[in-house]
Amino acid sequence: MMTKSSAPGKIILFGEHAVVYGRPALAIPVTQVHADVDVSDSSRAGIWIDAPDVNLHAELNTLPSDHPIASVIHNFLFLSRVSKFPNLEIKINSTIPVASGLGSGAAVTVALTRALAAHLDYSITDEEVNAFTYEIEKLHHGTPSGIDNTVVTYAKPVYFIKHPPSPDRKGAGGEVETFKVGQPFTIVIADTGISAPTKESVSDVRRLWMNDKSRWETVFDKIGEISFTARRAIEAGKPELLGELMNENHALLQKLTVSSLELDRLVETARNAGALGSKLSGGGRGGNMIALVKPKIAEAVSLSLKEAGAKNTIITQVL
Ligand code: PMV
């Protein structure tokens, strides 16, 4: 018997960093890239993991327990209370670039959790997958807001507001609202090719905030208003309004010191190539930027971004 599961990548449209301070953020699934997991019964003793993208071919118990993939399986074992796992063969493939803000870790966890649950007849709801993935994200990424696991679990655009920290709060990190897209729109995503740990930019922003809370709270408020307005524009079927909101959001992220020369160059390039607006996306300092485009110029904008140094681009439609 073989059980398969797949989960998409994601990208943040608005609200990164401010989301850590309780302001809303918007994110969408990116289905052009995905993590795919196959779980099958095996005649070989043990639980064998085959993840060629990260050069991993190993039996579970030979891996350190905090290994990102091993920790998902161990924690799932604990959650499902399966006393003894059968012999399994687990194949993990992902086309989501690692550490570039496309949610690769969350997607592997979601797909692996669902594939294991289905294979072992353990019934699990989306809410439980989301909460479980949030716990795994916390093991590897410090204090994530919860937006990654949420958008990847539901595979729909989400409007997300983080819960205030509380030791006894269970769940996936925040309030999630899915919303309707009034009219489809097109986004070009471009990767600077520079991997920049989100943890670092998040802690740099924290340092700024600690030194002058009222100044940075005002910036977070402005970003929160942008997310709120953007959601209304998307629901009302007026995606063209998102361009200016992206430009404003990018300027505020520059103030927060999380942009970089490379990101700024790609953001400018997209605008000069006819995009309606553009901004960095995710933790910043590297990783990805996004641009809102009319569908007919998507290819041209993508080409300009590559000429300006983007390592990879994805054109995605938000439906
Ligand atoms: O770099 P990404 O796409 O994983 O996004 C990070 C988003 C932040 O708001 C900076 C941090 C967070 O946990 O939400």
Side-chain angles (χ1 to χ4, degrees):
M1 190 172 87
M2 192 207 275
T3 317
K4 288 174 181 289
S5 186
S6 181
K10 74 100 216 322
I11 196 100
I12 296 180
L13 290 186
F14 294 98
E16 50 275 271
H17 287 288
V19 69
V20 175
Y21 298 81
R23 275 42 166 216
L26 281 178
I28 54 163
V30 178
T31 50
Q32 283 80 358
V33 285
H34 38 88
D36 302 290
V37 177
D38 288 354
V39 177
S40 49
D41 294 326
S42 165
S43 48
R44 216 164 21 152
I47 297 179
W48 286 85
I49 304 153
D50 185 24
D53 306 312
V54 288
N55 221 344
L56 175 69
H57 307 272
E59 204 286 319
L60 177 64
N61 288 318
T62 64
L63 295 172
S65 58
D66 62 351
H67 181 282
I69 293 173
S71 65
V72 176
I73 303 173
H74 286 302
N75 280 285
F76 181 80
L77 244 174
F78 183 76
L79 175 83
S80 63
R81 296 177 210 276
V82 174
S83 55
K84 187 173 179 330
F85 260 47
N87 296 332
L88 295 176
E89 205 73 55
I90 301 175
K91 288 202 176 358
I92 302 172
N93 285 292
S94 175
T95 57
I96 310 174
V98 218
S100 67
L102 284 170
S104 112
V108 168
T109 304
V110 166
L112 181 54
T113 306
R114 286 196 174 126
L116 285 170
H119 197 80
L120 299 168
D121 269 335
Y122 175 77
S123 127
I124 190 163
T125 62
D126 286 348
E127 287 68 28
E128 287 164 339
V129 170
N130 195 16
F132 179 78
T133 306
Y134 182 55
E135 291 306 314
I136 300 288
E137 292 278 290
K138 282 200 280 190
L139 291 179
H140 305 300
H141 303 297
T143 52
S145 61
I147 192 166
D148 272 31
N149 44 280
T150 302
V151 64
V152 168
T153 299
Y154 295 99
K156 285 191 185 128
V158 299
Y159 185 78
F160 178 88
I161 304 173
K162 182 180 183 276
H163 282 142
S166 150
D168 24 78
R169 195 190 294 276
K170 293 268 183 298
E175 300 300 326
V176 190
E177 292 171 29
T178 53
F179 59 95
K180 287 259 165 338
V181 176
Q183 198 187 310
F185 56 97
T186 306
I187 300 283
V188 181
I189 303 168
D191 191 348
T192 57
I194 298 166
S195 83
T198 294
K199 234 181 184 171
E200 278 173 24
S201 62
V202 168
S203 68
D204 289 350
V205 170
R206 174 140 321 248
R207 215 165 298 128
L208 288 180
W209 177 76
M210 295 290 275
N211 284 331
D212 191 347
K213 289 192 183 160
S214 73
R215 173 172 179 206
W216 299 109
E217 285 290 330
T218 310
V219 170
F220 297 146
D221 279 342
K222 286 188 183 148
I223 296 178
E225 276 161 33
I226 290 174
S227 296
F228 180 83
T229 312
R231 175 186 172 166
R232 293 281 167 267
I234 295 171
E235 286 177 318
K238 296 186 172 156
E240 65 283 358
L241 300 179
L242 301 179
E244 193 45 42
L245 293 170
M246 281 187 182
N247 296 343
E248 285 170 24
N249 197 163
H250 186 71
L252 293 164
L253 289 162
Q254 284 175 318
K255 277 202 176 141
L256 282 170
T257 75
V258 297
S259 194
S260 67
L261 282 176
E262 294 81 4
L263 281 165
D264 287 347
R265 183 166 63 230
L266 296 183
V267 161
E268 273 304 307
T269 301
R271 291 176 196 164
N272 293 337
L276 299 167
S278 53
K279 63 182 276 293
L280 73 85
S281 171
R285 304 262 168 87
N288 284 281
M289 55 74 66
I290 55 172
L292 175 75
V293 297
K294 290 254 158 58
K296 60 176 189 291
I297 67 158
E299 286 294 347
V301 171
S302 157
L303 195 66
S304 302
L305 287 165
K306 282 189 178 146
E307 282 166 3
K311 294 291 166 296
N312 191 27
T313 60
I314 298 172
I315 299 171
T316 191
Q317 260 231 321
V318 186
L319 300 163

